[in-house]
Amino acid sequence: MAKKKQKKGKAAAKKSARKVVKLASKKAHAAKRVNGNGQRPRPSSKPWGHAGKALEGVRILDFTHVQSGPTCTQLLAWFGADVIKVERPGIGDITRGQLVDVKGADSLYFTMLNHNKRSITIDSKHPQGKRVLDELVKSCDVLVENFAPGALDRMGLTWEHIHKLNPRMVVASVKGFGPGPYEDCKVYENVAQCAGGSASTTGFREGPPLVTGAQIGDSGTGLHLALGIVCALFQRNRTGRGQKVLAAMQDGVLNLCRVKLRDQQRLKAGPLTEYSQYGEGIPFGDSTPRAGNDSGGGQPGWFLKCKGWENDPDAYIYFITQAPVWGEICDVIGEPTWKTDPEYASPRARLPKLKKIFERIEQWTMTKTKFEVMEICNNVDIPVGPILSMKEIAEEPSLRKTGTVVEVDHPTRGKYLTVGNPIKMSDSISEVKRSPLLGEHTDEILKDVLKLSAKEIAEVKNSGALSAPKKEEKAA
Ligand code: COA
């Protein structure tokens, strides 16, 4: 009897515990469904992408130059952050004057990496300049820099100094290397491609290492840093504290070369069968080899000539012999018997003859333009990639329509094309605004951000902290 009672009691306790859990989770879900005003968020009633910007209210002190850092801050600016680019008086970001194509105008190198930003000139080594910078540190949420190691500290902007002025500030840096033997090295794009494993795994086995055209060291690391910054801001919502964010270019490149470190480890289990060198009977060494144009994903692929290749260096298509569509490939190229021939029917049987197979497919692709090949193949789900030249990309109407390629007007250089925000958001549309002229917003920032009076602005200016030293002074 007592046992029965006990059992009953236990069951009732379990039931009530379940009820409590259910109630708590109901409450938790309800809490998630309401916004800051305690209301359930509704879809925006404004036209697509016009409901404000994702990073509105975030202010960035942008101490970046060249490519890696500016890529990061340009992304943040596209998402609505107020990016204040600090530049050296008289000179500015060195890229303003690099690879100049229009005399007297900022280069495309600069304009294409610094959209939607404001520019202020400050001599960061001048005592008054340091004071202005301290005030900006207090007024901003994030400081982003990609100086050579130690340069920010030499300006007096150590982490301790910044954290004392503004404990909420996120300090984000791109460096060539993380802590270790190379941490003091200056690094440019191709150095990072070498150090991160890209160069040793790019190119043909019998040739030298190659760098890629995609700026995976600079722009790739800028992208990584932008994610780190947004995460640090998100964490700050909970902790109220800023933190240091570091993206090392070597690490960023290696992250993009992840599959090559995968292959390095697979070598222990035997040859890499999807590499064409396996089919050609060439033995593997003890590190991931260069794979030429082999596809890295395990489905054999290669570049094939198309109609017009004799005169057009981009009349090629990348053709993937994906196993599930082997039958369709055989039909398209006119080799229907390969579908059942045991010499060709299975991926394993095909491996040693991939070169011959691609030669046969190429006989067919050479009779068509790359766009004809694309159309025919895509109709039967065969994955192929026409090699688009930069000219074709620049002229492609669909990319203009989506804002991936944008025409921008600039007061000194006129109209030019740029790449817009590749990340599209339904509530935070990116409009691309021209890059600033050197120091264009100096007065505006002193007045609106630092709230300096006209008298104070004049004093700072007269101190020489915001302007280039005069020629005579320089000579002296
Ligand atoms: N006022 C006064 N001085 C300024 C200034 C300003 N507004 N802005 C920069 N400077 C000074 C710096 O304080 C530094 O002086 P210091 O060496 O006396 O401390 C000097 O300008 C040069 O900066 P530095 O970063 O060393 O430039 P660099 O042209 O010699 O090197 C890189 C360029 C890119 C190699 C180097 O900055 C670097 O390795 N950066 C990290 C990795 C990186 O981002 N590389 C990719 C670039 S796309």
Side-chain angles (χ1 to χ4, degrees):
M1 185 75 176
K3 260 190 179 172
K4 229 180 182 181
K5 241 186 181 174
Q6 231 178 8
K7 242 183 173 178
K8 237 182 172 179
K10 264 188 186 170
K14 254 188 185 173
K15 207 173 165 188
S16 101
R18 266 205 304 269
K19 236 182 180 174
V20 171
V21 171
K22 223 174 166 182
L23 223 112
S25 98
K26 219 176 172 181
K27 266 189 189 164
H29 287 310
K32 276 185 191 160
R33 284 198 300 262
V34 297
N35 59 21
N37 307 324
Q39 293 154 346
R40 195 187 166 96
R42 292 175 189 284
S44 171
S45 56
K46 304 207 170 116
W48 190 85
H50 284 75
K53 301 269 168 69
L55 293 182
E56 228 166 64
V58 173
R59 186 166 278 153
I60 313 277
L61 184 54
D62 180 10
F63 244 131
T64 67
H65 65 157
V66 207
Q67 184 181 165
S68 64
T71 301
C72 165
T73 50
Q74 177 169 261
L75 270 168
L76 302 173
W78 278 331
F79 289 124
D82 177 12
V83 176
I84 297 175
K85 184 163 173 119
V86 178
E87 295 185 81
R88 204 204 292 241
I91 305 165
D93 186 326
I94 191 105
T95 59
R96 284 186 186 268
Q98 280 180 341
L99 310 177
V100 168
D101 58 324
V102 177
K103 214 172 160 215
D106 288 330
S107 70
L108 286 167
Y109 195 176
F110 177 83
T111 53
M112 290 177 73
L113 285 161
N114 290 284
H115 292 108
N116 297 44
K117 303 181 187 178
R118 301 198 273 174
S119 166
I120 180 171
T121 51
I122 305 174
D123 180 350
S124 62
K125 290 175 179 160
H126 190 289
Q128 281 284 6
K130 282 177 189 289
R131 255 171 242 142
V132 174
L133 274 172
D134 281 355
E135 290 311 307
L136 280 169
V137 166
K138 289 183 205 161
S139 322
C140 292
D141 299 281
V142 187
L143 184 153
V144 192
E145 62 96 20
N146 68 310
F147 289 125
L152 197 67
D153 288 356
R154 289 194 288 278
M155 287 178 189
L157 288 170
T158 60
W159 163 251
E160 291 72 25
H161 179 73
I162 294 169
H163 199 63
K164 207 167 150 194
L165 292 174
N166 181 358
R168 287 174 60 77
M169 178 162 258
V170 172
V171 179
S173 306
V174 169
K175 294 288 166 260
F177 293 92
Y182 307 119
E183 65 189 14
D184 291 330
C185 298
K186 289 188 175 185
V187 168
Y188 284 107
E189 172 68 49
N190 288 351
V191 178
Q193 288 197 26
C194 297
S198 175
S200 68
T201 53
T202 305
F204 289 90
R205 199 184 51 257
E206 57 278 13
L210 276 189
V211 291
T212 75
Q215 305 286 282
I216 57 175
D218 281 341
S219 285
T221 310
L223 260 164
H224 283 100
L225 190 71
L227 177 62
I229 290 169
V230 175
C231 290
L233 288 172
F234 196 75
Q235 191 172 3
R236 192 180 74 169
N237 287 339
R238 292 200 307 275
T239 64
R241 233 182 8 249
Q243 61 182 299
K244 288 189 263 185
V245 181
L246 169 69
M249 294 167 77
Q250 180 183 39
D251 302 6
V253 171
L254 179 57
N255 187 33
L256 301 176
C257 288
R258 183 168 290 260
V259 297
K260 300 297 178 181
L261 187 58
R262 173 201 68 191
D263 292 351
Q264 177 63 40
Q265 297 171 85
R266 287 173 58 224
L267 275 173
K268 278 194 208 122
L272 308 173
T273 53
E274 77 282 14
Y275 281 52
S276 42
Q277 88 176 66
Y278 172 72
E280 290 164 31
I282 297 163
F284 284 78
D286 61 1
S287 60
T288 310
R290 293 193 260 292
N293 288 321
D294 291 334
S295 151
Q299 302 287 350
W302 204 254
F303 281 103
L304 304 178
K305 290 172 185 150
C306 294
K307 201 182 200 171
W309 66 273
E310 298 90 340
N311 303 313
D312 177 357
D314 297 312
Y316 282 81
I317 194 132
Y318 194 84
F319 200 103
I320 300 169
T321 55
Q322 197 197 4
V325 286
W326 176 244
E328 285 79 354
I329 294 170
C330 297
D331 287 338
V332 157
I333 63 170
E335 295 287 354
T337 57
W338 281 6
K339 286 192 275 189
T340 46
D341 183 341
E343 284 291 304
Y344 293 94
S346 72
R348 184 174 281 276
R350 290 195 290 274
L351 269 181
K353 336 180 180 43
L354 281 176
K355 204 164 173 235
K356 190 177 153 205
I357 291 170
F358 280 122
E359 276 168 10
R360 174 64 191 93
I361 301 173
E362 191 173 56
Q363 280 174 16
W364 174 75
T365 58
M366 281 164 70
T367 65
K368 311 264 178 285
T369 69
K370 59 189 176 189
F371 296 111
E372 285 166 350
V373 174
M374 186 175 189
E375 196 175 338
I376 295 168
C377 288
N378 274 299
N379 274 340
V380 283
D381 285 340
I382 303 169
V384 289
I387 310 311
L388 296 186
S389 68
M390 270 301 153
K391 183 172 184 292
E392 285 162 335
I393 289 171
E395 291 165 359
E396 170 59 41
S398 67
L399 294 176
R400 298 287 184 103
K401 216 170 165 189
T402 57
T404 296
V405 176
V406 190
E407 189 175 77
V408 184
D409 206 358
H410 188 275
T412 53
R413 68 172 304 113
K415 290 200 164 85
Y416 67 96
L417 283 188
T418 195
V419 185
N421 191 348
I423 303 164
K424 320 290 186 206
M425 289 169 71
S426 63
D427 259 6
S428 183
I429 204 165
S430 291
E431 74 190 291
V432 180
K433 295 189 199 142
R434 73 165 172 86
S435 59
L437 301 174
L438 180 59
E440 183 177 346
H441 305 95
T442 299
D443 283 56
E444 181 184 300
I445 291 162
L446 294 175
K447 188 166 166 258
D448 299 347
V449 178
L450 299 188
K451 313 282 179 219
L452 298 191
S453 65
K455 191 171 162 245
E456 287 167 325
I457 293 175
E459 272 168 21
V460 180
K461 282 185 156 177
N462 289 337
S463 76
L466 311 183
S467 47
K470 296 210 172 67
K471 287 246 161 70
E472 313 76 86
E473 283 174 38
K474 247 190 192 168

